[in-house]
Amino acid sequence: MSLRLYNTLTRTEEDFRPLDPSGKRVTLYCCGPTVYNLAHIGNFRTFVFEDLLRRHMESRGHEVRHVMNITDVEDKIIRSIHESGEDLRSFTGRFEAAFLEDLDALGCLRPTVTPRATEHIAEIIAMIQKLEKNGVAYKAADGSVYFSIEKFPSYGRLSRLDRTQLKPGARVSQDEHSKEAYGDFALWKAWSERDGKVVWDSPWGRGRPGWHIECSCMSTRHLGETIDLHCGGEDLVFPHHEDEIAQSEAATGKPFVRCWLHSAHLLVDGRKMSKSEGNFFTLRDLLAKGFTGRELRYALVSVHYRLPLNFTLENLEAARQTLRRLDAWAERLREKAGGATADASKPGSLAAAFSGALDADLNISDALGNLFEALRESNRRMDGNELGAKDAAELWRDWKAVERVLGLPASDPAGAPPEIAALAEERKAARQAKNWKRSDELRDTIHAKGWSVKDSPEGYKLTKL
Ligand code: AMP
Ligand code: ZN
């Protein structure tokens, strides 16, 4: 079965085929955090969904080049440092580091590249110059440069804007604005006193880039002019992604993104969790209440990404109970398997059913349904002493594959590709079963693939050779 994904651009589920003729390499761009404070768990719902997508594609054998930008210059950041007087880099650096720590705690694989907007200013300027040359950008009397949406006839295609409402000449300089106020948007913002020391020279005078242009620029720079997948939360469809399409396609004349994916919001009492509403939790708030990143990840990942998810602490309690049930089952399987190893040539039915369900636009409800059916059935067979060691080993191996796609391993070694992490997990299990021969074989395989694995009382450690 092929992977099918719901494309916001066409509002239909489509077969996913990467641009790479071999079908292997996939380019994935995810709009990253604006680092002006700690990301809340609503933001992380989106990042966890993107991680699930990536892990599922990797489990199907794709090589995913995953880019997530760090927005380290933007209206809210400037406002914050204007109030505190702190230097831009030291201010954003703190929140960027916290963000990456939280990603790790939530079991998200680090993106392949996390480029910062402030480190691409020359490229951003070059892209704006190209837009000027192509006749879609102009410098306004205030010294800022705007994108003229009138000159881009397909503006509004992604968000299905009513172009008859277009107000020629209307301009918006804020990075975030509503559909009611749409108009030409800022690519380059002329310096104003509020910007203080946050300023760069440009052909249009001193200023700073707008928010939207940074994603167009970094996507092209790190993934190419046309990419396979671009993700974000649904609030980014307009104006951010609409503007990204306009900028990129007007600059290159090529399609920007082949498939757009947007996740629904995390809600609190039916309203979007957001900083401005004040109805948010950070991961750290929940850790302080005694929950783990793994528990939050399960609560976030277990609801389909296009369905709204109302967050409560009871969700986390339920996630905790479910994980305990899964861990107890996995342990029981491992013991039952003893030293037996699964037949590598035979794909396990659980792994296949789980993966097949995710192929249908990441249908996590069906995927988890298959998992719990296997759990109930095998527990019943173990109760009746009817499950053989070989079957237990196969199920346990399948569970490890499922656990990896869900991003739930308690210790996913940061940086190691899933294939290596899987081999290391398998080796750990072989050692626990005192199967030294298998453990040595796996160490050699890991070594041949460019990694070393060392044991310590805390567990194993993987290092790139
Ligand atoms: P920001 O740092 O505000 O640019 O947001 C980072 C990501 O989080 C974007 O993809 C947003 O669409 C997403 N996001 C913001 N609020 C929520 C929410 N309540 N639920 C899900 N995703 C969200
Ligand atoms: Zn973006």
Side-chain angles (χ1 to χ4, degrees), residues 31-34 36 40 42-47 50 76 211 231-236 263-267 272-274:
C31 291
T34 306
Y36 73 110
H40 59 66
N43 302 131
F44 281 113
R45 179 184 192 197
T46 295
F47 299 128
E50 293 159 350
K76 294 191 290 291
W211 170 37
C231 302
E234 63 187 353
D235 55 322
L236 297 191
S263 54
H265 285 145
L266 187 69
L267 310 175
K272 178 188 170 194
M273 180 178 284
S274 72

PDB file of all heavy atoms in Angstrom, residues 31-34 36 40 42-47 50 76 211 231-236 263-267 272-274, ligand 1:
ATOM      1  N   CYS A  31       7.663  24.633   9.834  1.00  0.00           N
ATOM      2  CA  CYS A  31       7.856  25.956  10.421  1.00  0.00           C
ATOM      3  C   CYS A  31       8.176  25.778  11.895  1.00  0.00           C
ATOM      4  O   CYS A  31       7.445  25.109  12.626  1.00  0.00           O
ATOM      5  CB  CYS A  31       6.600  26.795  10.245  1.00  0.00           C
ATOM      6  SG  CYS A  31       6.344  27.225   8.522  1.00  0.00           S
ATOM      7  N   GLY A  32       9.269  26.361  12.296  1.00  0.00           N
ATOM      8  CA  GLY A  32       9.749  26.139  13.664  1.00  0.00           C
ATOM      9  C   GLY A  32       9.265  27.204  14.624  1.00  0.00           C
ATOM     10  O   GLY A  32       8.425  28.046  14.286  1.00  0.00           O
ATOM     11  N   PRO A  33       9.799  27.171  15.832  1.00  0.00           N
ATOM     12  CA  PRO A  33       9.307  28.069  16.875  1.00  0.00           C
ATOM     13  C   PRO A  33       9.833  29.492  16.726  1.00  0.00           C
ATOM     14  O   PRO A  33      10.903  29.712  16.164  1.00  0.00           O
ATOM     15  CB  PRO A  33       9.901  27.442  18.136  1.00  0.00           C
ATOM     16  CG  PRO A  33      11.200  26.869  17.658  1.00  0.00           C
ATOM     17  CD  PRO A  33      10.932  26.346  16.281  1.00  0.00           C
ATOM     18  N   THR A  34       9.034  30.414  17.229  1.00  0.00           N
ATOM     19  CA  THR A  34       9.511  31.783  17.390  1.00  0.00           C
ATOM     20  C   THR A  34      10.074  31.836  18.805  1.00  0.00           C
ATOM     21  O   THR A  34       9.337  31.616  19.769  1.00  0.00           O
ATOM     22  CB  THR A  34       8.331  32.768  17.238  1.00  0.00           C
ATOM     23  OG1 THR A  34       7.702  32.485  15.987  1.00  0.00           O
ATOM     24  CG2 THR A  34       8.798  34.211  17.269  1.00  0.00           C
ATOM     25  N   TYR A  36      10.805  33.438  21.568  1.00  0.00           N
ATOM     26  CA  TYR A  36      10.692  34.606  22.459  1.00  0.00           C
ATOM     27  C   TYR A  36      10.215  34.209  23.840  1.00  0.00           C
ATOM     28  O   TYR A  36      10.145  35.040  24.746  1.00  0.00           O
ATOM     29  CB  TYR A  36       9.775  35.673  21.846  1.00  0.00           C
ATOM     30  CG  TYR A  36       8.299  35.331  21.862  1.00  0.00           C
ATOM     31  CD1 TYR A  36       7.404  36.015  22.694  1.00  0.00           C
ATOM     32  CD2 TYR A  36       7.794  34.328  21.047  1.00  0.00           C
ATOM     33  CE1 TYR A  36       6.058  35.707  22.703  1.00  0.00           C
ATOM     34  CE2 TYR A  36       6.449  34.007  21.055  1.00  0.00           C
ATOM     35  CZ  TYR A  36       5.589  34.697  21.881  1.00  0.00           C
ATOM     36  OH  TYR A  36       4.254  34.371  21.895  1.00  0.00           O
ATOM     37  N   HIS A  40       4.672  26.310  24.128  1.00  0.00           N
ATOM     38  CA  HIS A  40       3.675  25.622  24.957  1.00  0.00           C
ATOM     39  C   HIS A  40       3.334  24.274  24.330  1.00  0.00           C
ATOM     40  O   HIS A  40       3.755  23.969  23.208  1.00  0.00           O
ATOM     41  CB  HIS A  40       2.448  26.508  25.199  1.00  0.00           C
ATOM     42  CG  HIS A  40       1.735  26.965  23.960  1.00  0.00           C
ATOM     43  ND1 HIS A  40       1.082  26.095  23.114  1.00  0.00           N
ATOM     44  CD2 HIS A  40       1.575  28.215  23.421  1.00  0.00           C
ATOM     45  CE1 HIS A  40       0.538  26.781  22.123  1.00  0.00           C
ATOM     46  NE2 HIS A  40       0.836  28.068  22.263  1.00  0.00           N
ATOM     47  N   GLY A  42       0.728  23.192  23.044  1.00  0.00           N
ATOM     48  CA  GLY A  42      -0.021  23.301  21.785  1.00  0.00           C
ATOM     49  C   GLY A  42       0.968  23.321  20.631  1.00  0.00           C
ATOM     50  O   GLY A  42       0.832  22.580  19.649  1.00  0.00           O
ATOM     51  N   ASN A  43       1.999  24.144  20.756  1.00  0.00           N
ATOM     52  CA  ASN A  43       3.053  24.147  19.733  1.00  0.00           C
ATOM     53  C   ASN A  43       3.606  22.728  19.577  1.00  0.00           C
ATOM     54  O   ASN A  43       3.811  22.251  18.462  1.00  0.00           O
ATOM     55  CB  ASN A  43       4.228  25.062  20.123  1.00  0.00           C
ATOM     56  CG  ASN A  43       3.821  26.504  20.368  1.00  0.00           C
ATOM     57  OD1 ASN A  43       4.186  27.092  21.377  1.00  0.00           O
ATOM     58  ND2 ASN A  43       3.054  27.076  19.457  1.00  0.00           N
ATOM     59  N   PHE A  44       3.821  22.072  20.706  1.00  0.00           N
ATOM     60  CA  PHE A  44       4.426  20.739  20.635  1.00  0.00           C
ATOM     61  C   PHE A  44       3.486  19.703  20.038  1.00  0.00           C
ATOM     62  O   PHE A  44       3.942  18.686  19.526  1.00  0.00           O
ATOM     63  CB  PHE A  44       4.977  20.294  22.002  1.00  0.00           C
ATOM     64  CG  PHE A  44       6.301  20.942  22.286  1.00  0.00           C
ATOM     65  CD1 PHE A  44       6.439  21.877  23.305  1.00  0.00           C
ATOM     66  CD2 PHE A  44       7.402  20.659  21.501  1.00  0.00           C
ATOM     67  CE1 PHE A  44       7.651  22.509  23.539  1.00  0.00           C
ATOM     68  CE2 PHE A  44       8.622  21.280  21.722  1.00  0.00           C
ATOM     69  CZ  PHE A  44       8.748  22.206  22.749  1.00  0.00           C
ATOM     70  N   ARG A  45       2.190  19.962  20.083  1.00  0.00           N
ATOM     71  CA  ARG A  45       1.300  19.014  19.386  1.00  0.00           C
ATOM     72  C   ARG A  45       1.703  18.973  17.901  1.00  0.00           C
ATOM     73  O   ARG A  45       1.809  17.911  17.306  1.00  0.00           O
ATOM     74  CB  ARG A  45      -0.169  19.435  19.497  1.00  0.00           C
ATOM     75  CG  ARG A  45      -1.010  18.449  18.742  1.00  0.00           C
ATOM     76  CD  ARG A  45      -2.469  18.725  18.646  1.00  0.00           C
ATOM     77  NE  ARG A  45      -3.107  17.504  18.138  1.00  0.00           N
ATOM     78  CZ  ARG A  45      -4.308  17.439  17.628  1.00  0.00           C
ATOM     79  NH1 ARG A  45      -5.060  18.517  17.578  1.00  0.00           N
ATOM     80  NH2 ARG A  45      -4.784  16.307  17.184  1.00  0.00           N
ATOM     81  N   THR A  46       1.938  20.155  17.352  1.00  0.00           N
ATOM     82  CA  THR A  46       2.329  20.223  15.943  1.00  0.00           C
ATOM     83  C   THR A  46       3.696  19.576  15.716  1.00  0.00           C
ATOM     84  O   THR A  46       3.874  18.800  14.781  1.00  0.00           O
ATOM     85  CB  THR A  46       2.287  21.688  15.478  1.00  0.00           C
ATOM     86  OG1 THR A  46       0.922  22.114  15.532  1.00  0.00           O
ATOM     87  CG2 THR A  46       2.803  21.863  14.075  1.00  0.00           C
ATOM     88  N   PHE A  47       4.655  19.861  16.588  1.00  0.00           N
ATOM     89  CA  PHE A  47       5.999  19.298  16.375  1.00  0.00           C
ATOM     90  C   PHE A  47       6.005  17.768  16.549  1.00  0.00           C
ATOM     91  O   PHE A  47       6.751  17.063  15.865  1.00  0.00           O
ATOM     92  CB  PHE A  47       7.020  19.968  17.307  1.00  0.00           C
ATOM     93  CG  PHE A  47       7.128  21.455  17.064  1.00  0.00           C
ATOM     94  CD1 PHE A  47       6.999  22.373  18.111  1.00  0.00           C
ATOM     95  CD2 PHE A  47       7.320  21.949  15.787  1.00  0.00           C
ATOM     96  CE1 PHE A  47       7.069  23.744  17.877  1.00  0.00           C
ATOM     97  CE2 PHE A  47       7.394  23.316  15.544  1.00  0.00           C
ATOM     98  CZ  PHE A  47       7.272  24.212  16.593  1.00  0.00           C
ATOM     99  N   GLU A  50       4.626  16.237  13.414  1.00  0.00           N
ATOM    100  CA  GLU A  50       5.635  16.250  12.345  1.00  0.00           C
ATOM    101  C   GLU A  50       6.664  15.138  12.564  1.00  0.00           C
ATOM    102  O   GLU A  50       7.136  14.498  11.616  1.00  0.00           O
ATOM    103  CB  GLU A  50       6.313  17.625  12.293  1.00  0.00           C
ATOM    104  CG  GLU A  50       5.336  18.711  11.846  1.00  0.00           C
ATOM    105  CD  GLU A  50       5.731  20.142  12.220  1.00  0.00           C
ATOM    106  OE1 GLU A  50       6.683  20.346  13.011  1.00  0.00           O
ATOM    107  OE2 GLU A  50       5.069  21.070  11.739  1.00  0.00           O
ATOM    108  N   LYS A  76       7.396  39.916  17.883  1.00  0.00           N
ATOM    109  CA  LYS A  76       7.252  39.642  19.328  1.00  0.00           C
ATOM    110  C   LYS A  76       8.616  39.607  20.026  1.00  0.00           C
ATOM    111  O   LYS A  76       8.746  40.035  21.163  1.00  0.00           O
ATOM    112  CB  LYS A  76       6.522  38.300  19.550  1.00  0.00           C
ATOM    113  CG  LYS A  76       5.062  38.316  19.072  1.00  0.00           C
ATOM    114  CD  LYS A  76       4.297  37.094  19.535  1.00  0.00           C
ATOM    115  CE  LYS A  76       4.710  35.810  18.862  1.00  0.00           C
ATOM    116  NZ  LYS A  76       4.376  35.671  17.432  1.00  0.00           N
ATOM    117  N   TRP A 211       8.661  38.078   8.608  1.00  0.00           N
ATOM    118  CA  TRP A 211       8.678  36.683   9.065  1.00  0.00           C
ATOM    119  C   TRP A 211       8.552  35.695   7.896  1.00  0.00           C
ATOM    120  O   TRP A 211       9.287  34.710   7.811  1.00  0.00           O
ATOM    121  CB  TRP A 211       7.523  36.488  10.060  1.00  0.00           C
ATOM    122  CG  TRP A 211       7.229  35.072  10.472  1.00  0.00           C
ATOM    123  CD1 TRP A 211       8.145  34.065  10.686  1.00  0.00           C
ATOM    124  CD2 TRP A 211       5.943  34.510  10.743  1.00  0.00           C
ATOM    125  NE1 TRP A 211       7.488  32.912  11.071  1.00  0.00           N
ATOM    126  CE2 TRP A 211       6.141  33.155  11.116  1.00  0.00           C
ATOM    127  CE3 TRP A 211       4.637  35.016  10.721  1.00  0.00           C
ATOM    128  CZ2 TRP A 211       5.085  32.302  11.453  1.00  0.00           C
ATOM    129  CZ3 TRP A 211       3.598  34.160  11.062  1.00  0.00           C
ATOM    130  CH2 TRP A 211       3.819  32.834  11.417  1.00  0.00           C
ATOM    131  N   CYS A 231       4.947  21.459   6.571  1.00  0.00           N
ATOM    132  CA  CYS A 231       3.971  21.281   7.657  1.00  0.00           C
ATOM    133  C   CYS A 231       3.923  22.473   8.599  1.00  0.00           C
ATOM    134  O   CYS A 231       4.870  23.250   8.700  1.00  0.00           O
ATOM    135  CB  CYS A 231       4.364  20.106   8.547  1.00  0.00           C
ATOM    136  SG  CYS A 231       4.530  18.563   7.719  1.00  0.00           S
ATOM    137  N   GLY A 232       2.839  22.528   9.339  1.00  0.00           N
ATOM    138  CA  GLY A 232       2.687  23.514  10.406  1.00  0.00           C
ATOM    139  C   GLY A 232       1.319  23.339  11.036  1.00  0.00           C
ATOM    140  O   GLY A 232       0.525  22.493  10.595  1.00  0.00           O
ATOM    141  N   GLY A 233       1.045  24.125  12.045  1.00  0.00           N
ATOM    142  CA  GLY A 233      -0.288  24.113  12.635  1.00  0.00           C
ATOM    143  C   GLY A 233      -1.256  24.830  11.702  1.00  0.00           C
ATOM    144  O   GLY A 233      -0.842  25.613  10.836  1.00  0.00           O
ATOM    145  N   GLU A 234      -2.555  24.576  11.874  1.00  0.00           N
ATOM    146  CA  GLU A 234      -3.530  25.123  10.916  1.00  0.00           C
ATOM    147  C   GLU A 234      -3.603  26.650  10.942  1.00  0.00           C
ATOM    148  O   GLU A 234      -4.035  27.259   9.966  1.00  0.00           O
ATOM    149  CB  GLU A 234      -4.913  24.503  11.152  1.00  0.00           C
ATOM    150  CG  GLU A 234      -5.490  24.818  12.518  1.00  0.00           C
ATOM    151  CD  GLU A 234      -6.782  24.053  12.813  1.00  0.00           C
ATOM    152  OE1 GLU A 234      -7.295  23.375  11.917  1.00  0.00           O
ATOM    153  OE2 GLU A 234      -7.253  24.156  13.955  1.00  0.00           O
ATOM    154  N   ASP A 235      -3.159  27.264  12.033  1.00  0.00           N
ATOM    155  CA  ASP A 235      -3.176  28.734  12.071  1.00  0.00           C
ATOM    156  C   ASP A 235      -2.166  29.337  11.094  1.00  0.00           C
ATOM    157  O   ASP A 235      -2.197  30.544  10.829  1.00  0.00           O
ATOM    158  CB  ASP A 235      -2.886  29.246  13.500  1.00  0.00           C
ATOM    159  CG  ASP A 235      -1.588  28.690  14.055  1.00  0.00           C
ATOM    160  OD1 ASP A 235      -1.287  27.504  13.785  1.00  0.00           O
ATOM    161  OD2 ASP A 235      -0.866  29.429  14.750  1.00  0.00           O
ATOM    162  N   LEU A 236      -1.263  28.511  10.564  1.00  0.00           N
ATOM    163  CA  LEU A 236      -0.250  29.061   9.652  1.00  0.00           C
ATOM    164  C   LEU A 236      -0.714  29.113   8.191  1.00  0.00           C
ATOM    165  O   LEU A 236      -0.051  29.708   7.354  1.00  0.00           O
ATOM    166  CB  LEU A 236       1.054  28.259   9.742  1.00  0.00           C
ATOM    167  CG  LEU A 236       1.773  28.276  11.090  1.00  0.00           C
ATOM    168  CD1 LEU A 236       3.165  27.661  10.954  1.00  0.00           C
ATOM    169  CD2 LEU A 236       1.908  29.696  11.644  1.00  0.00           C
ATOM    170  N   SER A 263      -1.775  20.566  11.071  1.00  0.00           N
ATOM    171  CA  SER A 263      -2.383  19.869  12.209  1.00  0.00           C
ATOM    172  C   SER A 263      -3.393  20.773  12.887  1.00  0.00           C
ATOM    173  O   SER A 263      -3.224  22.000  12.919  1.00  0.00           O
ATOM    174  CB  SER A 263      -1.304  19.434  13.198  1.00  0.00           C
ATOM    175  OG  SER A 263      -0.538  20.534  13.566  1.00  0.00           O
ATOM    176  N   ALA A 264      -4.429  20.127  13.424  1.00  0.00           N
ATOM    177  CA  ALA A 264      -5.448  20.885  14.160  1.00  0.00           C
ATOM    178  C   ALA A 264      -4.878  21.321  15.505  1.00  0.00           C
ATOM    179  O   ALA A 264      -3.871  20.786  15.982  1.00  0.00           O
ATOM    180  CB  ALA A 264      -6.675  20.010  14.358  1.00  0.00           C
ATOM    181  N   HIS A 265      -5.559  22.257  16.108  1.00  0.00           N
ATOM    182  CA  HIS A 265      -5.025  22.830  17.339  1.00  0.00           C
ATOM    183  C   HIS A 265      -5.247  21.974  18.582  1.00  0.00           C
ATOM    184  O   HIS A 265      -6.188  21.196  18.652  1.00  0.00           O
ATOM    185  CB  HIS A 265      -5.680  24.203  17.574  1.00  0.00           C
ATOM    186  CG  HIS A 265      -5.121  25.245  16.670  1.00  0.00           C
ATOM    187  ND1 HIS A 265      -5.868  26.270  16.158  1.00  0.00           N
ATOM    188  CD2 HIS A 265      -3.873  25.390  16.168  1.00  0.00           C
ATOM    189  CE1 HIS A 265      -5.097  27.009  15.387  1.00  0.00           C
ATOM    190  NE2 HIS A 265      -3.895  26.503  15.362  1.00  0.00           N
ATOM    191  N   LEU A 266      -4.377  22.211  19.523  1.00  0.00           N
ATOM    192  CA  LEU A 266      -4.611  21.703  20.870  1.00  0.00           C
ATOM    193  C   LEU A 266      -5.486  22.759  21.546  1.00  0.00           C
ATOM    194  O   LEU A 266      -5.178  23.959  21.498  1.00  0.00           O
ATOM    195  CB  LEU A 266      -3.276  21.555  21.614  1.00  0.00           C
ATOM    196  CG  LEU A 266      -3.379  20.873  22.970  1.00  0.00           C
ATOM    197  CD1 LEU A 266      -3.719  19.397  22.811  1.00  0.00           C
ATOM    198  CD2 LEU A 266      -2.054  20.991  23.736  1.00  0.00           C
ATOM    199  N   LEU A 267      -6.571  22.303  22.149  1.00  0.00           N
ATOM    200  CA  LEU A 267      -7.542  23.227  22.743  1.00  0.00           C
ATOM    201  C   LEU A 267      -7.553  23.098  24.262  1.00  0.00           C
ATOM    202  O   LEU A 267      -7.157  22.068  24.811  1.00  0.00           O
ATOM    203  CB  LEU A 267      -8.948  22.903  22.226  1.00  0.00           C
ATOM    204  CG  LEU A 267      -9.136  22.757  20.716  1.00  0.00           C
ATOM    205  CD1 LEU A 267     -10.570  22.320  20.406  1.00  0.00           C
ATOM    206  CD2 LEU A 267      -8.812  24.060  19.999  1.00  0.00           C
ATOM    207  N   LYS A 272      -8.432  27.492  21.400  1.00  0.00           N
ATOM    208  CA  LYS A 272      -7.041  27.242  21.027  1.00  0.00           C
ATOM    209  C   LYS A 272      -6.101  27.574  22.189  1.00  0.00           C
ATOM    210  O   LYS A 272      -6.224  28.651  22.780  1.00  0.00           O
ATOM    211  CB  LYS A 272      -6.683  28.105  19.809  1.00  0.00           C
ATOM    212  CG  LYS A 272      -5.242  27.957  19.360  1.00  0.00           C
ATOM    213  CD  LYS A 272      -4.871  28.973  18.290  1.00  0.00           C
ATOM    214  CE  LYS A 272      -3.369  28.942  18.051  1.00  0.00           C
ATOM    215  NZ  LYS A 272      -2.855  30.064  17.305  1.00  0.00           N
ATOM    216  N   MET A 273      -5.192  26.643  22.499  1.00  0.00           N
ATOM    217  CA  MET A 273      -4.185  26.964  23.507  1.00  0.00           C
ATOM    218  C   MET A 273      -3.249  27.988  22.896  1.00  0.00           C
ATOM    219  O   MET A 273      -2.705  27.783  21.810  1.00  0.00           O
ATOM    220  CB  MET A 273      -3.402  25.709  23.894  1.00  0.00           C
ATOM    221  CG  MET A 273      -2.351  25.975  24.939  1.00  0.00           C
ATOM    222  SD  MET A 273      -1.440  24.496  25.468  1.00  0.00           S
ATOM    223  CE  MET A 273      -2.615  23.684  26.519  1.00  0.00           C
ATOM    224  N   SER A 274      -3.082  29.124  23.568  1.00  0.00           N
ATOM    225  CA  SER A 274      -2.177  30.131  23.012  1.00  0.00           C
ATOM    226  C   SER A 274      -1.634  31.024  24.111  1.00  0.00           C
ATOM    227  O   SER A 274      -2.226  31.134  25.186  1.00  0.00           O
ATOM    228  CB  SER A 274      -2.890  30.966  21.950  1.00  0.00           C
ATOM    229  OG  SER A 274      -3.815  31.822  22.571  1.00  0.00           O
TER     230      SER A 274
HETATM  231  P1  AMP B   1       4.851  29.722  16.696  1.00  0.00           P
HETATM  232  O1  AMP B   1       6.060  29.589  17.578  1.00  0.00           O
HETATM  233  O2  AMP B   1       3.767  30.536  17.283  1.00  0.00           O
HETATM  234  O3  AMP B   1       5.214  30.158  15.286  1.00  0.00           O
HETATM  235  O4  AMP B   1       4.207  28.268  16.554  1.00  0.00           O
HETATM  236  C1  AMP B   1       4.936  27.109  16.284  1.00  0.00           C
HETATM  237  C2  AMP B   1       4.017  26.040  15.751  1.00  0.00           C
HETATM  238  O5  AMP B   1       2.990  25.691  16.710  1.00  0.00           O
HETATM  239  C3  AMP B   1       3.260  26.430  14.483  1.00  0.00           C
HETATM  240  O6  AMP B   1       3.248  25.342  13.582  1.00  0.00           O
HETATM  241  C4  AMP B   1       1.844  26.712  14.992  1.00  0.00           C
HETATM  242  O7  AMP B   1       0.885  26.515  13.982  1.00  0.00           O
HETATM  243  C5  AMP B   1       1.719  25.686  16.086  1.00  0.00           C
HETATM  244  N1  AMP B   1       0.695  25.982  17.104  1.00  0.00           N
HETATM  245  C6  AMP B   1       0.478  27.136  17.782  1.00  0.00           C
HETATM  246  N2  AMP B   1      -0.534  27.000  18.680  1.00  0.00           N
HETATM  247  C7  AMP B   1      -0.979  25.717  18.566  1.00  0.00           C
HETATM  248  C8  AMP B   1      -2.013  24.949  19.219  1.00  0.00           C
HETATM  249  N3  AMP B   1      -2.779  25.445  20.191  1.00  0.00           N
HETATM  250  N4  AMP B   1      -2.160  23.655  18.831  1.00  0.00           N
HETATM  251  C9  AMP B   1      -1.384  23.114  17.851  1.00  0.00           C
HETATM  252  N5  AMP B   1      -0.396  23.778  17.227  1.00  0.00           N
HETATM  253  C10 AMP B   1      -0.195  25.071  17.558  1.00  0.00           C
END
